[in-house]
């Protein structure tokens, strides 16, 4: 048996970040507040009141950060554009200084042979658009398409890989349902309406990109498609699984991949909304031919019918909120999948990633797949010599890369993997307390220190060979 698993020669080995989590410089060059500025500055919304005001100063340190990626042998980098840097109020002309930052960043990447993958929207809606109704308002989808066109006009000559939305599930259901993400609303009907307008935004945004980009450009979306399992195969538990699967997956890939909502999703949620906000041509608009699908995976979900104590808060991994992110699902209970967990409390289960990839291989035949996020938070600390040793993260990455490799053997067309995240950063409502980086960041000095996982990943990335075994020391 060979000692290592070989990946395809043109496989992309990347890392991912997002604008609000790393950039800082929130008041520079014409940028105005997004919903995450407002939310993080609202007392009680984030751990320790942390905000992205400074973050890891990537806006000023991007050159060093790209040099770091090159040192680590990465050939791909996924980042997001801050909408309120490019179009501060979400309306009107684009701001050149905002676009220039991303042009400089992309040129730096290209000069080092690193392929940029640009995400247009990673949760940071301009506050003025939220004030006008946010994602539950139809107008926001049209605003998004205009913004997409601006970015495509400015960067289409140098960026080939485009992603419309990152994890619209989080935008809709954590933002407007459980309220643990910005803008912090807790209205299940608004959350479903937001989901629909995110579908529409994806479709209209894709059309705007196609109109502005050269033919070689590729357009995708990154979904946090969940692996939903039931605790038993009893009819009640299987029904709970079916309903959560629709609310996690079908609500987006129905319209985006098949041009229709699952019929049972509409009936399951009928007591929350009548879906009258869906207009005639919306589903055709949402259903655009795509060049790839991005999958973000961290942990599977485990559900059952709620047999007892239906009112009690559920451990569904979405932070403390008495409001569920799952509309019309009070009779579903969420359970902890058995096994070791990361610092987030999320169970480590690489079989879920294999399952997810195989599901989309069947559901979207012929569509190339990318793992656009995967990674783990651990309580990393430098040792007295200043080194950061994180064998648990190496084990996590090893297990999940082996699952990707197994999916390729099983016939899946996986073209690349982006580790979440390049470096420690603002972990949303958890603030700076949770570290996902392959690179450690000292938040006092902003010094970057590659963890042992970064060195390990660099070895895999530069050879395309994954050791068959990894035994953490
Ligand atoms: C991603 O969100 C984000 O894109 C990224 O910005 C963020 O920093 C990163 O992950 C780490 O959080 O209900 O128990 O099954 C991930 C959000 C986390 C939402 C896992 C779904 C499932 C937990 N997802 N969660 S559970």
């Amino acid at each position: 048996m060979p000692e290592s698993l070989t990946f395809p020669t043109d496989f992309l080995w990347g890392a991912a970040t997002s604008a609000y989590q790393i950039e800082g410089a929130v008041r520079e060059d014409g940028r105005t507040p997004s919903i995450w500025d407002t939310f993080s500055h609202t007392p009680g919304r984030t751990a320790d009141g942390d905000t992205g005001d400074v973050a890891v100063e990537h806006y000023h340190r991007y050159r060093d950060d790209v040099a770091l990626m090159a040192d680590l042998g990465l050939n791909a980098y996924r980042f997001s554009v801050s909408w309120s840097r490019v179009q501060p109020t979400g309306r009107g002309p684009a701001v050149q200084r905002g676009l220039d930052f991303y042009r400089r960043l992309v040129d730096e990447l290209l000069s080092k042979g690193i392929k940029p993958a640009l995400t247009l929207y990673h949760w940071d809606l301009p506050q003025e658009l939220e004030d006008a109704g946010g994602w539950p308002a139809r107008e926001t989808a049209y605003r998004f398409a205009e913004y997409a066109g601006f970015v495509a006009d400015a960067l289409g000559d140098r960026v080939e890989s485009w992603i419309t939305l990152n994890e619209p599930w989080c935008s809709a259901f954590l933002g407007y349902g459980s309220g643990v993400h910005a803008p912090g609303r807790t209205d299940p009907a608004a959350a479903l309406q937001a989901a629909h307008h995110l579908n529409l935004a994806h479709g209209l945004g894709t059309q705007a990109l196609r109109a502005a980009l050269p033919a070689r450009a590729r357009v995708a979306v990154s979904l946090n498609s969940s692996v939903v399992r039931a605790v038993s195969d009893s009819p009640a538990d299987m029904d709970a699984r079916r309903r959560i699967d629709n609310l996690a997956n079908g609500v987006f890939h129905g319209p985006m991949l098949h041009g229709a909502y699952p019929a049972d999703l509409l009936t399951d949620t009928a007591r929350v909304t009548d879906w009258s906000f869906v207009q005639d041509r919306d589903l055709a608009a949402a259903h655009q031919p795509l060049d790839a699908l991005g999958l973000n995976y961290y942990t599977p979900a485990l559900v059952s019918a709620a047999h007892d104590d239906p009112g009690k808060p559920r451990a569904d991994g979405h932070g403390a909120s008495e409001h569920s992110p799952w509309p019309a699902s009070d009779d579903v209970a969420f359970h902890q999948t058995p096994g070791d967990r990361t610092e987030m409390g999320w169970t480590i289960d690489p079989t879920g990633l294999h399952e997810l990839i195989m599901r989309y291989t069947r559901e979207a035949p012929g569509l190339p797949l990318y793992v656009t996020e995967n990674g783990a938070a651990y309580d990393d600390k430098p040792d007295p010599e200043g080194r950061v040793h994180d064998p648990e993260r190496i084990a996590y990455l090893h297990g999940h890369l082996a699952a990707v490799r197994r999916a390729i053997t099983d016939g899946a067309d996986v073209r690349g993997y982006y580790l979440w995240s390049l470096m420690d950063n603002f972990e949303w409502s958890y603030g700076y307390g949770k570290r996902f980086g392959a690179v450690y960041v000292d938040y006092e000095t902003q010094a970057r220190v590659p963890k042992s996982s970064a060195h390990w990943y660099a070895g895999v990335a530069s050879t395309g060979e994954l050791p068959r075994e990894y035994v953490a020391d």
Side-chain angles (χ1 to χ4, degrees), residues 363-386:
E363 209 169 311
L367 197 58
L369 304 176
Y370 290 84
V371 176
T372 41
E373 284 182 27
N374 174 243
Y378 285 104
D379 187 16
D380 307 305
K381 288 190 184 73
D383 69 12
E385 281 78 52

Side-chain angles (χ1 to χ4, degrees), residues 58 61-74 105 108-109 111-112 114 422:
H58 174 75
R61 295 170 182 267
Y62 72 92
R63 263 197 195 88
D64 293 344
D65 291 337
V66 174
L68 201 52
M69 294 177 219
D71 288 345
L72 295 177
L74 305 186
L105 169 64
E108 199 67 24
L109 290 164
S111 78
K112 298 276 199 294
I114 300 170
L422 174 67

Side-chain angles (χ1 to χ4, degrees), residues 13-17 74 76-79 417-422 457:
W13 296 97
T17 61
L74 305 186
Y77 175 56
R78 173 175 179 254
F79 66 96
Y417 174 94
Y418 296 83
L419 182 165
W420 184 272
S421 177
L422 174 67
Y457 187 60

Side-chain angles (χ1 to χ4, degrees), residues 159-164 202 205-207 209-211 213-222 256-257 286-294 364-370 372 413-416:
V159 175
E160 286 189 13
S161 181
W162 295 74
I163 294 164
T164 54
H202 161 76
T206 300
Q207 289 175 338
L209 292 177
R210 298 285 185 209
L213 294 174
R216 66 172 186 281
R218 295 181 313 271
V219 180
V221 61
S222 284
M256 290 182 188
L257 300 178
H287 186 206
Q288 296 296 315
L290 293 176
D291 303 302
L293 185 62
L367 197 58
L369 304 176
Y370 290 84
T372 41
D413 184 10
V414 187
R415 306 273 180 96

Side-chain angles (χ1 to χ4, degrees), residues 18 21 78 122-123 166-167 169-170 174 181 224 226 296 298-302 315-318 326 334 344 346 373 420 425-428 436:
S18 88
Q21 294 181 272
R78 173 175 179 254
H122 199 125
W123 309 351
N166 177 71
E167 300 191 354
W169 185 87
C170 295
L174 302 183
H181 279 188
N224 58 311
S226 301
N296 295 358
Y298 292 89
T299 189
L302 184 61
D316 66 355
H318 296 106
W326 307 102
F334 286 78
M344 299 300 283
W346 300 345
E373 284 182 27
W420 184 272
N425 60 46
F426 175 74
E427 179 50 30
W428 306 112
F436 272 91

Side-chain angles (χ1 to χ4, degrees), residues 62 75 77 79 81 96 99-118 150-162 212-218:
Y62 72 92
N75 61 10
Y77 175 56
F79 66 96
V81 171
Q96 195 56 44
L99 289 168
D100 285 346
F101 167 69
Y102 297 104
R103 188 174 297 138
R104 291 194 304 273
L105 169 64
V106 166
D107 286 349
E108 199 67 24
L109 290 164
L110 295 174
S111 78
K112 298 276 199 294
I114 300 170
K115 286 199 168 67
L118 184 157
F150 287 151
V151 182
D153 285 339
L155 300 172
D157 58 345
R158 55 199 85 191
V159 175
E160 286 189 13
S161 181
W162 295 74
L213 294 174
R216 66 172 186 281
R218 295 181 313 271

Side-chain angles (χ1 to χ4, degrees), residues 207-208 336 433 471:
Q207 289 175 338
Q336 187 78 50
V471 183

